[in-house]
Coordinates of all heavy atoms in Angstrom, one line a residue:
F78 N 5.5 1.2 -4.5 CA 5.6 2.3 -5.4 C 5.8 3.6 -4.4 O 5.6 3.6 -3.3 CB 4.4 2.5 -6.2 CG 3.2 2.3 -5.6 CD1 2.6 3.3 -4.9 CD2 2.4 1.1 -5.8 CE1 1.4 3.1 -4.2 CE2 1.2 1.0 -5.2 CZ 0.7 2.0 -4.3
N79 N 6.1 4.8 -5.1 CA 6.3 6.1 -4.4 C 4.9 6.6 -4.2 O 4.0 6.6 -5.1 CB 7.1 7.1 -5.3 CG 8.5 6.6 -5.5 OD1 9.1 5.9 -4.7 ND2 9.1 7.0 -6.6
M80 N 4.7 7.0 -3.0 CA 3.3 7.6 -2.7 C 3.5 8.8 -1.7 O 4.6 9.1 -1.2 CB 2.5 6.5 -2.1 CG 3.0 5.8 -0.9 SD 1.9 4.6 -0.4 CE 3.0 3.2 -0.5
R81 N 2.5 9.5 -1.6 CA 2.5 10.8 -0.8 C 1.2 10.7 0.1 O 0.1 10.5 -0.4 CB 2.4 12.0 -1.6 CG 2.6 13.2 -0.8 CD 2.8 14.5 -1.6 NE 3.0 15.6 -0.8 CZ 3.0 16.8 -1.2 NH1 2.9 17.1 -2.5 NH2 3.2 17.8 -0.3
C82 N 1.4 10.8 1.5 CA 0.3 10.6 2.4 C -0.7 11.9 2.2 O -0.2 13.0 2.0 CB 0.8 10.8 3.8 SG -0.4 10.7 5.1
K83 N -2.0 11.6 2.1 CA -2.9 12.8 2.0 C -3.1 13.5 3.2 O -3.4 14.7 3.1 CB -4.4 12.1 1.5 CG -4.4 11.6 0.2 CD -5.7 11.1 -0.2 CE -5.9 10.6 -1.6 NZ -7.2 10.0 -1.9
T84 N -2.9 13.0 4.3 CA -3.1 13.7 5.6 C -2.0 14.7 5.9 O -2.2 15.9 6.2 CB -3.1 12.7 6.8 OG1 -4.1 11.6 6.4 CG2 -3.5 13.4 8.1
C85 N -0.7 14.3 5.8 CA 0.4 15.1 6.2 C 1.3 15.5 5.1 O 2.1 16.4 5.2 CB 1.1 14.6 7.4 SG 2.1 13.0 6.9
G86 N 1.2 14.9 3.9 CA 2.0 15.1 2.8 C 3.4 14.5 2.8 O 4.2 14.8 2.0
E87 N 3.6 13.6 3.7 CA 4.9 12.9 3.8 C 5.1 12.0 2.5 O 4.2 11.3 2.1 CB 4.9 12.0 5.1 CG 6.1 11.1 5.2 CD 7.3 11.9 5.7 OE1 7.2 13.1 6.0 OE2 8.4 11.3 5.8
Y88 N 6.2 12.1 1.9 CA 6.6 11.2 0.9 C 7.0 9.8 1.3 O 7.9 9.7 2.2 CB 7.8 11.7 0.0 CG 7.3 12.9 -0.9 CD1 7.4 14.2 -0.5 CD2 6.6 12.6 -2.1 CE1 7.0 15.2 -1.4 CE2 6.2 13.6 -2.9 CZ 6.4 14.9 -2.5 OH 6.0 16.0 -3.4
I89 N 6.5 8.8 0.8 CA 6.9 7.4 1.2 C 7.5 6.9 -0.1 O 6.8 6.7 -1.1 CB 5.7 6.6 1.8 CG1 5.1 7.2 3.0 CG2 6.1 5.2 2.0 CD1 3.8 6.7 3.4
Y90 N 8.8 6.5 -0.1 CA 9.5 6.1 -1.2 C 9.4 4.6 -1.5 O 9.2 3.8 -0.5 CB 10.9 6.5 -1.2 CG 11.0 8.0 -1.2 CD1 11.2 8.7 0.0 CD2 10.8 8.7 -2.3 CE1 11.4 10.1 0.0 CE2 10.9 10.1 -2.3 CZ 11.1 10.7 -1.2 OH 11.2 12.1 -1.2
K91 N 9.5 4.1 -2.7 CA 9.4 2.8 -3.0 C 10.6 2.0 -2.2 O 11.7 2.5 -2.3 CB 9.6 2.6 -4.5 CG 9.7 1.1 -5.1 CD 9.7 1.2 -6.6 CE 9.7 -0.3 -7.1 NZ 9.7 -0.4 -8.5
G92 N 10.3 0.9 -1.7 CA 11.3 0.2 -1.0 C 11.4 0.4 0.5 O 12.1 -0.2 1.2
K93 N 10.6 1.3 1.0 CA 10.5 1.7 2.5 C 9.8 0.5 3.1 O 8.8 0.0 2.7 CB 9.7 3.0 2.8 CG 9.5 3.3 4.2 CD 10.4 4.3 4.7 CE 10.2 4.8 6.0 NZ 11.0 4.1 7.1
K94 N 10.3 0.0 4.2 CA 9.9 -1.2 4.9 C 8.8 -0.8 5.9 O 8.9 0.1 6.7 CB 10.9 -2.0 5.6 CG 11.9 -2.6 4.6 CD 12.9 -3.5 5.3 CE 13.9 -4.1 4.3 NZ 14.9 -4.9 5.0
F95 N 7.8 -1.7 5.9 CA 6.6 -1.5 6.8 C 6.2 -2.8 7.4 O 6.3 -3.9 6.8 CB 5.4 -0.9 6.0 CG 5.5 0.5 5.7 CD1 6.0 0.8 4.4 CD2 5.2 1.6 6.5 CE1 6.1 2.1 3.9 CE2 5.4 2.9 6.1 CZ 5.8 3.1 4.8
N96 N 5.7 -2.7 8.7 CA 4.9 -3.9 9.3 C 3.5 -3.6 8.8 O 2.9 -2.5 9.1 CB 5.0 -4.0 10.8 CG 6.4 -4.3 11.2 OD1 7.1 -5.2 10.6 ND2 6.8 -3.7 12.3
A97 N 2.9 -4.5 8.0 CA 1.7 -4.3 7.5 C 0.7 -5.4 7.9 O 1.1 -6.4 8.2 CB 1.6 -4.2 5.9
R98 N -0.7 -5.1 7.8 CA -1.7 -6.1 8.0 C -2.1 -6.5 6.6 O -2.3 -5.7 5.7 CB -2.8 -5.5 8.8 CG -2.6 -5.2 10.2 CD -3.8 -4.8 10.9 NE -4.6 -4.0 10.0 CZ -5.2 -3.0 10.2 NH1 -5.4 -2.5 11.4 NH2 -6.0 -2.3 9.2
K99 N -2.2 -7.8 6.4 CA -2.6 -8.3 5.1 C -3.9 -9.1 5.2 O -4.0 -9.9 6.2 CB -1.4 -9.3 4.6 CG -1.8 -10.0 3.3 CD -0.7 -10.9 2.9 CE -1.2 -12.3 2.9 NZ -0.3 -13.4 2.5
E100 N -4.8 -9.0 4.3 CA -6.0 -9.7 4.3 C -6.4 -10.0 2.8 O -6.0 -9.5 1.9 CB -7.2 -8.9 4.9 CG -7.7 -7.8 4.2 CD -8.8 -7.0 4.7 OE1 -9.2 -7.3 5.9 OE2 -9.5 -6.2 4.1
T101 N -7.1 -11.1 2.7 CA -7.6 -11.5 1.3 C -8.9 -10.8 1.1 O -9.7 -10.8 1.9 CB -7.8 -13.0 1.4 OG1 -6.6 -13.8 1.8 CG2 -8.3 -13.5 -0.1
V102 N -9.0 -10.1 -0.1 CA -10.1 -9.4 -0.4 C -11.2 -10.3 -0.7 O -11.0 -11.2 -1.6 CB -9.9 -8.4 -1.6 CG1 -11.2 -7.7 -2.0 CG2 -8.7 -7.5 -1.2
Q103 N -12.4 -10.2 -0.1 CA -13.6 -11.1 -0.5 C -14.2 -10.8 -1.7 O -14.3 -9.6 -2.1 CB -14.6 -11.0 0.8 CG -14.0 -11.4 2.1 CD -13.6 -12.8 2.2 OE1 -14.3 -13.7 1.7 NE2 -12.5 -13.1 2.8
N104 N -14.6 -11.8 -2.3 CA -15.4 -11.7 -3.6 C -14.6 -11.0 -4.8 O -15.1 -10.5 -5.7 CB -16.7 -10.9 -3.5 CG -17.6 -11.6 -2.4 OD1 -17.6 -12.9 -2.3 ND2 -18.3 -10.7 -1.7
E105 N -13.2 -11.1 -4.7 CA -12.4 -10.5 -5.8 C -11.3 -11.5 -6.1 O -10.5 -11.9 -5.2 CB -11.8 -9.2 -5.4 CG -12.7 -8.0 -5.5 CD -12.0 -6.7 -5.4 OE1 -10.9 -6.5 -6.1 OE2 -12.4 -5.8 -4.6
V106 N -11.4 -12.0 -7.2 CA -10.4 -13.0 -7.8 C -10.1 -12.7 -9.2 O -11.0 -12.3 -9.9 CB -10.9 -14.5 -7.6 CG1 -9.9 -15.4 -8.1 CG2 -11.2 -14.8 -6.1
Y107 N -8.8 -12.8 -9.6 CA -8.4 -12.7 -11.0 C -7.8 -14.0 -11.5 O -6.7 -14.4 -11.0 CB -7.4 -11.5 -11.1 CG -7.0 -11.4 -12.6 CD1 -7.7 -10.8 -13.5 CD2 -5.7 -11.8 -12.9 CE1 -7.3 -10.8 -14.9 CE2 -5.2 -11.7 -14.2 CZ -6.0 -11.1 -15.1 OH -5.5 -11.1 -16.5
L108 N -8.5 -14.7 -12.4 CA -8.0 -16.0 -12.9 C -7.7 -17.0 -11.8 O -6.6 -17.6 -12.0 CB -6.9 -15.7 -13.9 CG -7.1 -14.8 -15.1 CD1 -5.9 -14.7 -15.9 CD2 -8.2 -15.5 -16.0
G109 N -8.4 -17.0 -10.8 CA -8.2 -18.0 -9.7 C -7.1 -17.5 -8.8 O -6.9 -18.1 -7.7

């Protein structure tokens, strides 16, 4: 989604590619 950085105010548009770290949230599950 479109977002704006709180630190510098940079707009990050939907579809911008990133290298991200992904983790599974512990103790949070929705319908399995």
Side-chain angles (χ1 to χ4, degrees):
F78 45 78
N79 296 329
M80 57 186 122
R81 187 173 182 185
C82 178
K83 285 183 181 176
T84 311
C85 65
E87 175 79 2
Y88 284 100
I89 300 170
Y90 296 100
K91 181 179 182 176
K93 176 103 174 91
K94 291 183 179 176
F95 289 95
N96 289 325
R98 291 181 329 215
K99 174 185 117 176
E100 71 178 11
T101 306
V102 179
Q103 298 298 317
N104 303 325
E105 280 192 50
V106 177
Y107 175 74
L108 299 176

